[in-house]
Amino acid sequence: MASAQKAWELENAVQLVDPHRDALYSYSPTEQRAQQDAKPWKSNPHYFKHVRISAVALLKMVMHARSGGNLEIMGLMQGKIAGDTFIVSDTFRLPVEGTETRVNASDEANEYVVQYLQSCRDNGRLDNAVGWYHSHPGYGCWLSGIDVATQMAQQFQDPFLAVVIDPDRTISAGKVEIGAFRTYPEGYKSPAAGGGGGDDDDGYQTIPLAKIEDFGAHASQYYALEVSHYKSTLDTKILELLWNKYWVSTLSQSPLFTSREYSSKQMVDLSQKIRNAEKAIRAGGRMQMVVGARKDGILEKVVRDSNKIAGEEITGLMAGEIKAKLFEGVGAAARGEVPPTA
């Protein structure tokens, strides 16, 4: 179990904070107030560039997102700001009901937030609410039109951050699929449109065809921040307790079985992209407008997508084989029976 936790930390680049730098967890009201008074983000929409998320907060968000299945979930992040960096130390869930495509906080949820934060302050935890997180089951980390509107509405209490987690891709890839974003002020013209999320400006690599229109319509209204993760000697015990729960859940599930619906949708989406690429190349060839480099670019995207799906399926098969080798016959051995041999 310890080796599995270590592998998860390495896969997600969780860096250990030196003991003398545990000040990441300290909170100075005076320092935070000074930054609030200065408000450098008002004059520079790109002021914030980085997000540092604790391993505890990351694991709690992943477990919350996985618990929602195909439904979107929502929660808030606590922490502070340090220069151009958001530091997220903890998270908590919100009592909201989501659908497969959207999630919104109700008045009841807003009241819960006020009570929760006040309870934290009463117990000596002064961390502010620095952002909100929600899940996109199976369709990548970016902000939809509803998400953009939600983030803009929340930025009245700036600085505020939006984080998106894809639990389906996290299960399939074995690495947390996460993105952090800030919206631009209303009326601001982004110098580089389409930088919202994903590996390609057109969203081909990570955005399903059914979502590309929504993605493209709002991609110029926000930008992505660099996400990194950290842990400290202070949260080792909490991380171990969370990991025990996460590890049991991981052992009891098969990636191929758990994400079978996601995998099927990926295959259908890929087949449609292949057909679209074929049509584009044929049409371009007839019109003599598509040069060789353009054709290669279209085909390269299809190949990259198919390789990604194949890699996720191979990872799932390997995980199943390893579990079978490790645990086959364990129950029989515990009962004193001899497991059958091939």
Side-chain angles (χ1 to χ4, degrees), residues 7-34:
W8 182 83
E9 292 175 358
L10 289 173
E11 188 69 30
N12 292 286
V14 178
Q15 299 179 348
L16 176 65
V17 179
D18 295 334
H20 67 276
R21 292 181 59 201
D22 278 345
L24 275 177
Y25 285 88
S26 66
Y27 185 89
S28 171
T30 304
E31 180 181 318
Q32 295 300 302
R33 194 177 303 111

Side-chain angles (χ1 to χ4, degrees), residues 103-214:
V103 62
N104 286 313
S106 61
D107 292 338
E108 179 184 352
N110 293 330
E111 183 179 349
Y112 175 83
V113 170
V114 173
Q115 294 177 351
Y116 184 92
L117 292 176
Q118 184 58 51
S119 177
C120 288
R121 295 187 181 95
D122 293 342
N123 287 277
R125 291 187 57 191
L126 303 179
D127 302 47
N128 285 324
V130 295
W132 65 294
Y133 70 89
H134 72 291
S135 63
H136 276 184
Y139 53 96
C141 299
W142 48 281
L143 297 185
S144 66
I146 295 174
D147 299 336
V148 168
T150 300
Q151 174 64 12
M152 285 184 169
Q154 294 295 332
Q155 284 189 193
F156 74 90
Q157 54 180 334
D158 246 356
F160 216 70
L161 174 73
V163 164
V164 182
I165 288 182
D166 187 335
D168 290 348
R169 295 187 180 186
T170 294
I171 294 173
S172 296
K175 177 183 177 182
V176 179
E177 185 85 5
I178 187 171
F181 310 99
R182 287 266 300 169
T183 52
Y184 295 120
E186 191 172 353
Y188 177 80
K189 298 297 183 182
S190 169
D199 296 330
D200 299 307
D201 286 344
D202 59 6
Y204 184 93
Q205 176 66 10
T206 56
I207 313 300
L209 284 175
K211 299 289 183 179
I212 282 182
E213 184 177 352
D214 189 21

Side-chain angles (χ1 to χ4, degrees), residues 30-51:
T30 304
E31 180 181 318
Q32 295 300 302
R33 194 177 303 111
Q35 294 184 75
Q36 285 281 1
D37 292 340
K39 291 182 172 57
W41 51 87
K42 290 293 185 182
S43 58
N44 180 11
H46 280 273
Y47 176 75
F48 290 105
K49 299 178 177 63
H50 310 280
V51 183

Side-chain angles (χ1 to χ4, degrees), residues 1-2 10 48 52 72 94-95 123 128 143 196-197 217 228 238-239 245 253 264 274 278 306 310 331 342:
M1 189 178 295
L10 289 173
F48 290 105
R52 300 195 67 182
E72 292 193 10
L94 289 182
N123 287 277
N128 285 324
L143 297 185
S228 61
I238 299 176
L239 187 59
K245 185 176 181 180
Q253 296 175 345
S264 298
I274 292 174
E278 182 182 7
S306 60

Side-chain angles (χ1 to χ4, degrees), residues 61-119:
M61 287 191 287
V62 171
M63 293 172 68
H64 187 194
R66 288 182 61 174
S67 70
N70 291 330
L71 302 181
E72 292 193 10
I73 54 85
M74 184 178 183
L76 282 192
M77 301 177 291
Q78 292 176 275
K80 63 180 183 179
I81 54 174
D84 63 354
T85 303
F86 283 91
I87 297 178
V88 178
S89 56
D90 200 4
T91 66
F92 62 94
R93 304 183 180 194
L94 289 182
V96 298
E97 293 184 1
T99 68
E100 293 186 1
T101 57
R102 67 178 63 185
V103 62
N104 286 313
S106 61
D107 292 338
E108 179 184 352
N110 293 330
E111 183 179 349
Y112 175 83
V113 170
V114 173
Q115 294 177 351
Y116 184 92
L117 292 176
Q118 184 58 51
S119 177

